[in-house]
Amino acid sequence: MLDQLNEIEKAALESLQSITDSAALEAWRVSHLGRSSPLMSVFAGLGKLSKEERPAVGSGANRVKVALEAALEERSKIVKEAALAKSLEEESLDVTLPGRGVHVGRLHPSTQQLRKVMGILADMGFQIYTSREVETDEYNFQLLNFPPNHPARDMQDTFFVEADGRGDNPILLRTHTSPGQIHAMREYAATNPDNPPPIRIALPGMCFRYEQITARSEIQFNQVEGLVVGENITFADLKGTLADFARRMFGQHARVRFRASYFPFTEPSAEVDVECFVCGGKGCGVCKNSGWLEILGCGMVHPVVLQNGGYDPARYSGFAWGMGPERQLMLRYKIDDIRYFWGNDLRFLEQF
Amino acid sequence: MKIPISWLKDYIDLDGLSVEDIARKLTLAGLEVDEIKYAGLPMPTYKGGEKHEFKTSGIAWDKEKLVVAEIREVKEHPNADRLTLLDLFDGKENQTVLTGAPNIFHLKGTGKLAKSIKVAYAKEGTMLYDGHAEGLQLMTLKRTKIRGVESYSMVCSEKELGISEEHEGIILLDDDAPVGMPLAEYMGDAVLDISIVPNMARNANVVGIARELAALTGRELKRPTMDNGRRTKKSGQSSAVNGQSVTELVEIEITNPELNPRFVAGLIRDIEIKPSPYYIQRRLRLAGIRPISNIVDATNYAMLDIGQPLHAFDYDVLVSRVGQIGNLSHKIKIITRAAKDGEKLTTLDGKERELTSANVLVCDEKGSLAMAGVMGGAESEVTDKTRNILLEGAAWNFINIRKTAKQHNLPSEASFRFSRGVHPAMAEQGVKRGLELMAEWSGGQIAPDLVDVYLLKPKDPTITVTTKDVKRLLGIDLTAKQIAELLTRLEFKCTVDKNSVKAKTPPHRLDIGEGAIGLADVLEEVARVYGYDRIPETRMSDSLPPQVGNPRHEWEEHARDILTSLGVQEVVSYRMTSPERESRLVAHDEYVTLANPIAPERRVMRRSLLASLLENVEKNARAESISMFEIGSVFEPNKNDLPNEPRKFAIAMTGLRTQTAWDVKDSASFDFYDMKGRLELLLSGLRLASVSYTPTDSAPFLHPGKAAQVSVNGQTVGVFGELHPLVKEKYDFEDSPVIVAEFDLDALRNATPTYGIAPVSEFPPVLEDIAVIVDESVTAERVEGLIKQTGGKIVTRVRLFDVYRDEKIGAGKKSLAYNLTYQSEKTLTDAEAAAIRTKIVKRLEHEVGAKLRS
Ligand SMILES: [Zn+2]
C-alpha cells in the first residue's frame, strides 16, 4: 500500500513538471487530487484496512496529499508568473505613438502677461484701476501737461473721433492709460478734498496710436501704468520700487539702469533699462548687443498733473511708470512681428 | 541729431574719454545715443563676455595704410581713356595710382601740377568700403592689373572711407593737410546719433552737447568765437569790418511780437561763392547735411554749431526790389507778418505754395520773401552770382512754425529746431557766427553793426531751490552749495542763501517754467547732473492707501478662468473695424467714427464683439476645431459726446467636438448643446442660479429654430444659438455649423449670485432610470420641473440621458429618459424609492399626459 502511495506521488509529480498553463494545471488537480483520483481512492479505502495498517497508510496518504498540494501551489505560481511575463511582453505599446489630445482653452498671451504684471503689483500693494478707451483731449493730453500744439504731442500720434463743436477738446482714442491717472486722482481726492488719501494703483488697458500696421508698429497695444501719490514720495523711492518690481518681473538678479528722459506728465523723468534677460547682459540680437533692454518709462508725477488731480504739489508728490506687456512678450519669446497679437492665429495662441 | 566727435572737440577737451564713454554719459543724462558711426577713429574691440553698449557701424582707418598724400603729376593712362595715372607722394615714397575720379579727370595729361593736390591715400591691404557696390560692402584693397597697368593702391572717395554715400569723386583735402600723416590722425572721426527729446531742444547743436558733457564731466566748455569776423580762426588774419553800417541800409518792422519776438540782420559784402573748406564739408556730411556752397554751408554750420537757424538773402535782389517800387532811398524794410489766407509764395524748391493765416512771412515793401523759419523764397535765394548777403537770424513762435511745417510738409533742420523753441538770445549769436564763417570762407567784408529788433523777451525765470525740496522730491541730502555747483555747470546763475539757492535760467533755454513747475524743472537738472545712478534705491515710507479693489475687473478675470477651463481659447481683436465688415453679422447705422483712420476697413470702433470674433474664426477656418471667446468693450456712439463702452463677452464654436487622433477617426461637430453645456457651466461657475433658456427671435443672425435667450432672475443677459445659414454663407467658413453666444457682461455681473453649496450625504443614493412618452409640444424643461417639484428634496439630481422618437411611440410623440438620484439622510428602502417613483409618474400622467415607457 505504501509503495502504491509512492507510485502515485512519483507519477503525479512527474506529470506536473511538464505543465505550463492554468487549464492543464486544473486538469492535473482533478486527476491527482480530485475525488476520483488514485490518492483519494486510497483515502476512501482506509476504512477497509486493518487497524494495524490504517495509521501508516493514513499518514502516508496525508503526506502525499500535502506534498502534491505544495507542488501544485509552487507550480501554479510558476505558471502564473510565466503567463504574466508572456502577457506583459505581448501587450507592450509603441510609446512613440502620439497621445490623444484634449481641447484646451488658453488665455491670450497679452492677458497672461497683464496678469503677471498686475499680480506682482498687487503683492506690492497696488490696486487695479480701469477707465475708458475713448477719451477727451483734455484727459488724454491737456490735464497731463501736453498743451495743444506742444511738440510732445509728436511723440504720440493720435486717432481722433469725428465730433462737432468740441473746439480744442476733441474726442480721441486714448494714446496711453494715463488719463486714468487723472480720473483716479480726482476720485480719490473727492473723498476728502482737504486731505486727499494716498494712492497706489495699477492702470491696465488697451491704448491706440496712429501708426501703420507693420511688424514693428501697431495701432493698438496694452499698457500697464503704476501710479503712487502721497506725502514724502521721492525719486529714490521710485528707483527702489521699480528695482523691486524688476526683480520680481525679470528675475532675482535683474539689474536696472535709470536714464534721464522726457515725458510731459513726469519730471524728473527716466527710461528704465533692465539687464537683457536673454543673454544676461553679454550682448545679443534681442538687446542689439547693448546688454540692456528698454523696458519702461517713469518719473515723478509732474506738479501740473498733481494739481489737476486735486493734489497740492507743495505737499504731495508721487511717481508713475508705464510699460507694454506685448513688448515684454516680444523680448522674452523673441517674437519678431507684433501683428501676431491681434492676428489671433491659433497656431500662435496655442504656443502660450 | 548727428554729432561728429571732431566737432565736439572744438568746444570741450575729451582726452581720456573713449567714444563709448562719451555716448554712455550722454545717454544716461537723457541724450540717448541711438547709434555710433565710426568714420576713422579706432572702434572698440570686444573680447568674449564683454558688453557692447551701443549699436555700432562704420569702419576704423588703418594708421599705417591710410595716409594723407599729395598728387604731384597727373598723366594719361596708356590704354584707357577714362582713367588717369597719378604720381603721388605719400610722405615716404612716390607711388603711381590709377583713378577714374571725375573731379581729377579735367587735369588728365596736365603733367606736373603747379600746386599739388592733397588726397586720402590707401595702400595695398587696406580695409575699405567698396565704392562701386550697392550699400556698404567691406573689401580689402588688392593688387591687380587694370588695362595693363599695375594697381596696388588708390585715392579714396568719402564712400570708401565710410564718411558719406558720396562716390562721385575722390576727396580733395584742404591744402594744409600734412603729407604722410595717418588719415585717422588727421580727420578720423566718429558720429553720435542722438535723439533729442522735446525738453532738450536747446541741445540740438554741437555747443549744446558740449555744454552737457562739460556739466557731466566737470570740464570746461570752450565757446565758439563770434567776433563778427574781426579775426578768422584759421589764418589769424584780420578781415576788416568795412563800409556803411547795416543799420543805415536795413530796417525791420515786426507786426506781431508773439509770432516774431526778435529779428536780427547782418550784411556781408563782396563774397565769392565757392565750395567750403573740405573739413567743413566733411563735418556737414557726417552731420547729415549736404554741402552746397560756402554761404549756404555757413548758415547750416552755424545752426548745427549753436542751434540758431539762419537765412541768407541775396542783398542785391532786395535792393532791386526796393528800386522796383520806386523807393529812391534804397533802404530795405523787412516786415514780418502773418500771411493772408490764399496768399501765394514760390519757395526755393520751386513750388508755389498757397498760404494761410497760420503761416508767417518775411516780406519787404514789395511783398513776401520767405516763409518764416521754414523755407526761403525762390526770388531772393543765394545763387552762384550772389555778391552780397543779408543774413537773417530770428526767433519765431514754435507753435506757428510747427503748424506751418506740418501744413506744407516741410520738415527741415530749421523747422525741427524752431518748432521746439529756440531762445531769442540765440538770434544775435547766430548772425554773428554765420557772418564770421562767411567772411572766413568767402573772403567777404562784414558791414558794421547788426539791425536788431527785440520786442518780446522770454522770462528766463529765477527759481528758488531749497535743500528741503531736494530731500523731499529726490530723496537725497545735498547742501545749498552743492546744488548751486551742479546748476552752475549748466550755466544757471546761482546765489546761495543758507539752505536755499536762487538759480536764474541761462539765456539759451526755454524749458524752465515758473513756481512749482520751475522747481520740478530745476530738480530734474540737479538729478541729471548729480547722476541718476548715484541716487539711492529706497522703499516708500508713506502710509498705504485704503484698499478698494476692482470688482468688475476681478469678475471678468474669473469669467476668463472658467471659460478657459472649459476649453475655450481667448482672443483679443482690433477695436477698429468697418460698418461693412460688421454688417455681415449685424447692421448698425451709427458708429464712433475716426476722423483719421489708417485705412477704410478700420475707420470705426466696433459695435459687435461677436462680429470681431467671427472674423477670427474665419481666419482660422481650416483648423479642425475652433472654440474662442473674447471679453472686451464695444462702442456705442453718443452724438458729439463720449461714447458708451459696455463690456461684452462672445463665444464662437465650430468644427469637431473632440480631437481626432490616430485611432479616433470621426467626431461629431459642435452643435447647440455643446454651447449650452458650456454656458451652463459658466453660469454655475459664476454662482448664478434661476437661469432660464427660452426660444428667441431677437437675434436675426441666429437660426430661428436653434436660438435661445438666456435670462437670470427674469433679466435677459444674452443670446446664443447656431448661426443663421444665410449669415454663415457670408463668411468663409467650413461646412460644420457655427455656434455663437453673445452676453452683456454688465447685466450678467449685476445678476445676483447665490452662494449655497449642498451638503454631500454619507448615505448611499438610490439610482434609477425612468422614461416617459410625451407629446412633442411638452418641453424637457417642463418635465424636469415636474419631476423635481414632485420628488422634493429627496430627488437630488435629474439628468436627461436620452431623447427618442420612432413609429412605435407614435407620431408627434417623444420619449424622454432620465437618470434620477434619490438621496436621503438615511438609507432608503426599495419600497420608499418605489413610492417616490410612483408619485412622479402619476404627476406626469396627470399634468402632461405622460405615459411610462416600459
Ligand atoms: Zn541680450
Side-chain angles (χ1 to χ4, degrees), chain A residues 276 278-279 281 283-284 286-287 291:
Chain A
C276 178
V278 176
C279 64
C284 70
V286 176
C287 58

Side-chain angles (χ1 to χ4, degrees), chain A residues 133-307:
Chain A
E133 294 177 15
V134 181
E135 269 291 357
T136 58
D137 190 273
E138 185 187 14
Y139 272 83
N140 194 74
F141 288 128
Q142 294 166 32
L143 293 170
L144 291 165
N145 196 34
F146 289 77
N149 291 305
H150 193 271
R153 290 200 177 201
D154 287 350
M155 296 162 81
Q156 302 195 358
D157 286 328
T158 309
F159 282 113
F160 290 95
V161 169
E162 283 182 1
D164 294 331
R166 300 208 43 105
D168 59 5
N169 190 22
I171 294 174
L172 45 77
L173 308 189
R174 68 174 175 189
T175 55
H176 45 190
T177 51
S178 316
Q181 294 189 18
I182 300 284
H183 288 300
M185 277 194 264
R186 288 184 168 184
E187 254 173 52
Y188 275 75
T191 63
N192 189 354
D194 293 331
N195 290 295
I199 297 177
R200 222 172 268 195
I201 53 171
L203 304 105
M206 194 63 87
C207 304
F208 307 87
R209 298 269 170 97
Y210 181 88
E211 304 256 7
Q212 293 309 311
I213 301 176
T214 69
R216 298 256 141 237
S217 64
E218 257 294 3
I219 52 174
Q220 70 180 32
F221 58 93
N222 278 291
Q223 192 178 47
V224 188
E225 277 183 296
L227 173 70
V228 174
V229 179
E231 294 178 73
N232 308 311
I233 301 292
T234 69
F235 191 80
D237 293 337
L238 161 67
K239 282 190 70 179
T241 305
L242 289 189
D244 278 346
F245 174 78
R247 277 189 289 273
R248 289 285 311 273
M249 191 73 208
F250 305 110
Q252 268 323 301
H253 304 289
R255 293 198 304 143
V256 291
R257 176 174 92 162
F258 289 75
R259 280 186 285 116
S261 188
Y262 170 76
F263 307 105
F265 44 107
T266 54
E267 189 165 32
S269 301
E271 296 272 4
V272 180
D273 297 336
V274 64
E275 198 164 44
C276 178
F277 42 66
V278 176
C279 64
K282 288 198 178 73
C284 70
V286 176
C287 58
K288 301 196 186 88
N289 281 333
S290 72
W292 296 99
L293 297 170
E294 191 175 317
I295 216 75
L296 54 89
C298 65
M300 298 298 288
V301 181
H302 197 280
V304 166
V305 177
L306 285 171
Q307 193 76 57

Side-chain angles (χ1 to χ4, degrees), chain A residues 83-95:
Chain A
L84 180 64
K86 193 171 171 236
S87 82
L88 288 180
E89 196 183 301
E90 284 170 355
E91 285 171 8
S92 76
L93 299 177
D94 177 357
V95 296

Side-chain angles (χ1 to χ4, degrees), chain B residues 379-531:
Chain B
E379 190 184 346
S380 54
E381 184 189 358
V382 174
T383 67
D384 291 349
K385 298 184 184 75
T386 301
R387 296 287 299 154
N388 304 302
I389 298 279
L390 186 71
L391 185 62
E392 163 205 318
W396 307 106
N397 178 295
F398 74 91
I399 290 174
N400 214 275
I401 299 292
R402 212 173 111 82
K403 283 183 178 165
T404 302
K406 271 198 172 173
Q407 178 192 336
H408 296 284
N409 192 22
L410 281 174
S412 67
E413 293 281 343
S415 69
F416 173 87
R417 287 167 176 77
F418 277 136
S419 66
R420 282 162 178 75
V422 178
H423 195 290
M426 301 311 296
E428 181 191 350
Q429 296 183 39
V431 172
K432 285 182 174 174
R433 182 77 175 130
L435 290 174
E436 175 189 62
L437 296 173
M438 286 178 188
E440 186 180 325
W441 302 338
S442 75
Q445 305 254 302
I446 298 168
D449 310 319
L450 298 174
V451 205
D452 184 358
V453 178
Y454 193 176
L455 297 182
L456 192 63
K457 292 190 176 158
K459 284 188 177 130
D460 299 339
T462 298
I463 306 296
T464 304
V465 196
T466 66
T467 52
K468 220 173 124 192
D469 294 327
V470 172
K471 181 70 180 167
R472 181 172 84 89
L473 293 162
L474 299 182
I476 49 175
D477 292 299
L478 293 181
T479 64
K481 220 182 122 201
Q482 285 172 310
I483 298 166
E485 197 271 323
L486 292 169
L487 290 171
T488 304
R489 292 199 210 172
L490 287 171
E491 302 186 358
F492 283 85
K493 292 255 177 310
C494 295
T495 51
V496 175
D497 179 19
K498 288 184 194 138
N499 290 324
S500 87
V501 178
K502 279 196 168 58
K504 181 162 172 59
T505 307
H508 62 258
R509 55 193 294 174
L510 295 168
D511 62 309
I512 304 293
E514 295 177 88
I517 300 170
L519 178 62
D521 293 333
V522 168
L523 283 175
E524 178 170 68
E525 296 306 78
V526 171
R528 263 187 346 107
V529 179
Y530 180 74

